[in-house]
Amino acid sequence: MDDREAEVLDRIGRGLLYTESEAAFQNPRRRADLIFEYNSTRPGATDQRRELLERILGSVGARTVLLSPFHAGFGSNVHIGDDFFGNVNLTFVDDVEIRIGDGVMIAPGVTLTTTGHPIHPGLREDFRRFSRPIVIEDKVWIGSHVVVLPGVRIGYGSVIGAGSVVTHDIPPMTVAMGVPCRVVRPITDADR
């Protein structure tokens, strides 16, 4: 890695702006062909699908179910724990890491995006952007058509209601929903 690449990676790591051209040296880490192959496999080809997931993702736990199709910018920046269930049309915009804990369930049509763009149009040339990691802790359930934005952490055991746009961290053991997503109540023993 040369000095310029190291400087760009430093900016990316700090959530600062960078351009498509500056980050092009990372393109070999993209897994688009493998994702296409995964999405083309038969649902019953479990061994083949598992082998592909292990090649696509940064790490993948035991007993993982990821229904087709799914999409990812890289794939290699996604880390999934044990006992994960991802329903159809899950999209990972993983310019930086997305870390998903154990026992997480994600409904259809969810987007996890680590990347955003500047508000001012003069700053968006060459697809200038910023990226911040997403963390989804253990036992989280994310409802259909949720969008999780850059830098968000969703705490242990939380539930995110369908159609929400998660712009800020969600504390553990809460139900949150809305646009923007807000905590509406704690999860208690009464929910058993």
Side-chain angles (χ1 to χ4, degrees), residues 68-167:
S68 300
F70 87 95
H71 311 280
F74 283 84
S76 59
N77 288 326
V78 177
H79 302 272
I80 295 175
D82 296 338
D83 301 308
F84 171 81
F85 182 84
N87 215 313
V88 298
N89 291 318
L90 176 54
T91 298
F92 302 104
V93 181
D94 63 320
D95 289 31
V96 296
E97 284 192 344
I98 297 173
R99 292 219 167 252
I100 300 172
D102 298 336
V104 171
M105 297 187 306
I106 299 180
V110 169
T111 299
L112 308 175
T113 180
T114 65
T115 299
H117 301 278
I119 299 296
H120 195 283
L123 294 175
R124 292 196 300 260
E125 70 275 352
D126 194 13
F127 306 108
R128 186 171 283 140
R129 58 193 178 264
F130 62 89
S131 298
R132 295 184 186 110
I134 290 173
V135 176
I136 300 170
E137 296 180 3
D138 297 346
K139 307 287 186 187
V140 168
W141 171 27
I142 298 177
S144 296
H145 300 285
V146 167
V147 177
V148 178
L149 295 181
V152 166
R153 175 181 287 267
I154 300 176
Y156 173 91
S158 291
V159 174
I160 308 299
S164 296
V165 177
V166 187
T167 61

Side-chain angles (χ1 to χ4, degrees), residues 28-35 37-38 48-60 70 74-78:
R29 295 181 53 236
R30 294 181 184 272
R31 305 291 188 255
D33 287 342
L34 291 172
I35 293 167
E37 186 177 344
Y38 181 89
Q48 179 186 12
R49 290 169 68 82
R50 175 65 191 200
E51 185 269 330
L52 284 166
L53 271 187
E54 289 175 357
R55 292 173 58 200
I56 294 166
L57 302 179
S59 60
V60 58
F70 87 95
F74 283 84
S76 59
N77 288 326
V78 177

Side-chain angles (χ1 to χ4, degrees), residues 7-18:
E7 187 272 328
V8 172
L9 285 177
D10 178 63
R11 272 192 285 134
I12 292 170
R14 293 188 296 136
L16 302 176
L17 294 176
Y18 62 98

